[in-house]
Amino acid sequence: MLRAIPLPALNDNYIWLLAAPSGEALVVDPGEPGPVLQAAAEGLRPAAIVLTHHHPDHVAGAAALAQQFGIPCHAPHDERITAATARVAHGDQVRVDALDLTLDVIGVPGHTLSHVAFHGAGHLFCGDTLFSLGCGRMFEGQPAQFLASLERLAALPATTAVCCGHEYTEANGRFARAVEPDNPTRDLRLAEVRALRARGLPSLPSTLGSELDCNPFLRIDQPGLQASLARHLGRPPQDRNEAFGALRLWKDTFKQ
Ligand SMILES: [Zn+2]
C-alpha cells in the first residue's frame, strides 16, 4: 500500500511523496530540495522524480535531488525544464520498479501548454491544473483546452486521491461559495478544510468525488453556476467554453 505525503515547501506549495512501507518514495514537483532531504534524513529513499510543469516552484529542486540520489526525473517535453532525464507526453506511462508503480501520463494543457498530470495507484498528481475547490490560473492555454483537460481528470474514478500543488483550498472555497451559494456538500467540505487548517494540517489530498460535488470549475453545467455566470456576464454564457473562461477570469479578479 502506497501512502501520499504532502511536504510543505516554499510559501504554499506541496512536494508530494508517494511512499512504500519500505521507505522507497516517488517525489513529485520538488520546488526546493530541502523538504525532501529532510524526509530522506528521516528514512525515506527517493526512487524517482516526476514533474508536472515548468514553473520554478515545481521544478527548482529536481536537478539537485536527481543528482544526489542518482534517480531519474520524468518531465514533459518542454525545454524550459532542464532537470529532465526522460520526457513524457499524454498516453505515456512511467514505471517505478522500486514501488511496483505504473503511472499514466495525462496531458492537461491550460495552466501551461506542456502541463501533464500523473495517475497511478489511486492517486492523481495534478500540479497546478486542478486544485481542491478551484483550478490553476490560465497562463498559457485557452478556455476550451483547459476545460477539456479538467474533464479528462474528472473522468478518473471518484475515489481517486487528488494531490494538488498548492494549499489554496480555503481561498478557493470563498470563491466557490460566492459563485454557487447553494451547495451544502461544499459547505461541509469548507468547514472540514477550515478545521484542518486551524490545526495546521493540509486540506489535501481531496478526492475526485468531493471535487465533482464541490469544485465550481468541474460544475459549470450546474443550474446554480449557470445562473451566477449569467448575472456576472449580463447574459447567459454562449457555451461551456465561454462559461469556463468567464468563471476563470472572475476568479482572477475576485476580491475575498
Ligand atoms: Zn504553476
Side-chain angles (χ1 to χ4, degrees), residues 250-256:
W250 189 357
K251 172 69 167 69
D252 289 344
T253 55
F254 181 71
K255 299 284 182 283
Q256 302 291 340

Side-chain angles (χ1 to χ4, degrees), residues 53 55 57-58 111-112 128 139 166:
H53 68 294
H55 287 155
D57 61 318
H58 294 253
H111 176 68
T112 71
D128 290 353
F139 285 123
H166 289 270

Side-chain angles (χ1 to χ4, degrees), residues 35-66:
V36 180
L37 294 174
Q38 180 64 36
E42 291 163 9
L44 273 145
R45 289 193 303 282
I49 299 168
V50 295
L51 304 177
T52 61
H53 68 294
H54 75 278
H55 287 155
D57 61 318
H58 294 253
V59 307
L65 292 170

